Amino acid sequence: MSNLNIDAIKNQTYDAIVIGSGISGGWAAKELTGKGLRTLVLERGRDVKHVIDYPTTLMQPWEFEHHNRIKKEVKDANPIVSKCYAFYEGTEQFFVKDAEHPYVQEKPFDWIRGYQTGGKSLLWARQTQRWSEYDFQGPARDGFAVDWPIRYADLAPWYSYVEKFAGISGNKDNVASLPDGEFLAPHELNCVEKYFKEQVAKNYKDRHIITGRCAHLTSPKQVHYDQGRAQCQSRTICERGCPYGGYFSSNSSTLPWAAKTGKLTLRPHSVVHSIIYDEKKGKATGVRVIDATTNQMMEFYARIIFVNAAALNSNLILLNSTSHRFPNGLGNDSGVLGKYIAFHNYTATINADYEGFLDSTTDGRKPNSAYVPRFRNVEKQETDFLRGYAAGFSAGRYQHDDRSGLGEDLKKALLKPEYNNVWSVGSHMMGETIPKESNYVALDKSKVDPWGIPQLKISVEYDDNDRKMVKDFFEQFTEMYTKAGFTNIRTNDSNRTPGLDIHEMGGARMGKDPKTSVLNKWNAIHSCKNVFVTDGASMTSTSTQNPSLTYMAMTARSVDYAVKEMRKGTL
């Protein structure tokens, strides 16, 4: 090999490579660089710098050309992403448009993506609940999916570790199905939310209404100021990017922290093609990348690789990483890679009215709501469906101003707002779906994306268990609403296609047995132990809680293990 080639390889060699810069990728970068490793982070999208690249974050409503609505031609050209609640004029720059990364819908699936530094951590709903022992025991108890190779005790110290750094608002609620954490000051429930909490406590022993746990700095600590972040301003326009760093994102927190070490190299516009496997060494040695601006294929090398491209893209990369040793995808000895995809079911909502507290209304804004932890099938199987659901709950009394006038008349009307003569209350279900072999992703054999990589074929759908769960949600919350004195109760099943929940999980699941899983208890590929997957692809089941906090904790735990093993010379 010529000296020129040796120098080129040396310049493209790092201690670690992280694929993806979202929530889990940002944590991998922070932990790896913090332990002294020269780390390359590959981001397929453009670079978005904190504060600098949030163009709409300080805009007032009247400053938007289209009153913050998406133009008809944009909607027509993007029927999938336009369904997302957070896609509007002030945020459209953070979403992948439908034509930018095509995929094959073998069954209807709305794949929502954010390709930029920070990924969807700029757009997430910021709800952060720990999983409980019941969640990790679920598959072993009912026999669906495979047993988790870890339990709550394995993650508990890592939950505390990431909570303290990220900043999580919440209460110590002492609910068995929802472990308490390291919390900043909670958001306060309003009077009707408190009333519902009291009524549920009076009528049920196993059900709880609590304030949501969310990644907002309600009372920042020194570690948050050290990150350059400040208190949440409760503006509730978080998905435009927060210039204060009031909510946790890779852009405001983990990536800048990693950059301060001098060990971070962030490379945007880097579409990962595959992971390089060395047959002789029996391990991965690097990553093939297509430069999105030049279409040039490049290779980067490292001793350990973290795959954090978000669940479905991580599956795509692993499936496309073929070799003589792994003809069906990296680590796919079991044949389960890409299979057992699961998600959260958000199709069901229930709304009602309440005629009490008409001497009160809400003031200001709150980037959070009440939360109803799972209460079905927690300690034992008690229904005709498996697993369970959590729910949100919120109440508000809304204005109906007369805005028909002009000038002085309009000003007077706005200064004397009138309120509805009822409070509006509502809940949405977040149901756990069961991982099934029939729910899968695979590489399409005939279609490629703009970078020449096989398109991802997605075949995911609801099943009878999901429908039974929706029915139970309607029945239980109708009963709870009725006992609380709510009226005009209205249920709605949107029947929306999977994907809009944006909580895809599985495909490269963890497990004890290499014959039925892809990853071991440290999130390392069973048969390629220097490659770690710590995003949604690694999940064995989905629980009912939002998953991002668990990704963070798993990532910090896996990095700690990987670096120790690397220094022992085993990786």
Side-chain angles (χ1 to χ4, degrees), residues 506-526:
R509 67 185 183 187
M510 299 171 70
K512 298 175 181 177
D513 188 349
K515 295 179 181 178
T516 57
S517 59
V518 178
L519 308 175
N520 66 18
K521 66 179 181 179
W522 301 106
N523 293 74
I525 292 178
H526 285 298

Side-chain angles (χ1 to χ4, degrees), residues 23-24 27 124 127-133 135-136 148 150-152 154-156 158-160 162-163 166 168 178-179 248 308 344 505 510 523 533-558:
I23 277 181
S24 62
W27 266 98
W124 68 312
Q127 294 296 298
T128 42
Q129 307 100 8
R130 293 188 181 198
W131 284 29
S132 74
E133 185 69 3
D135 299 303
F136 289 106
W148 277 88
I150 60 173
R151 290 293 187 262
Y152 175 70
D154 296 301
L155 273 192
W158 296 102
Y159 276 134
S160 293
V162 301
E163 285 166 343
I168 308 300
L178 195 72
F248 172 84
N308 301 94
H344 282 143
M505 288 177 254
M510 299 171 70
N523 293 74
V533 183
T534 62
D535 63 9
S538 68
M539 305 300 270
T540 306
S541 61
T542 73
S543 91
T544 60
Q545 288 89 294
N546 295 65
S548 296
L549 183 69
T550 298
Y551 302 162
M552 298 186 220
M554 280 184 172
T555 302
R557 176 178 179 267
S558 294

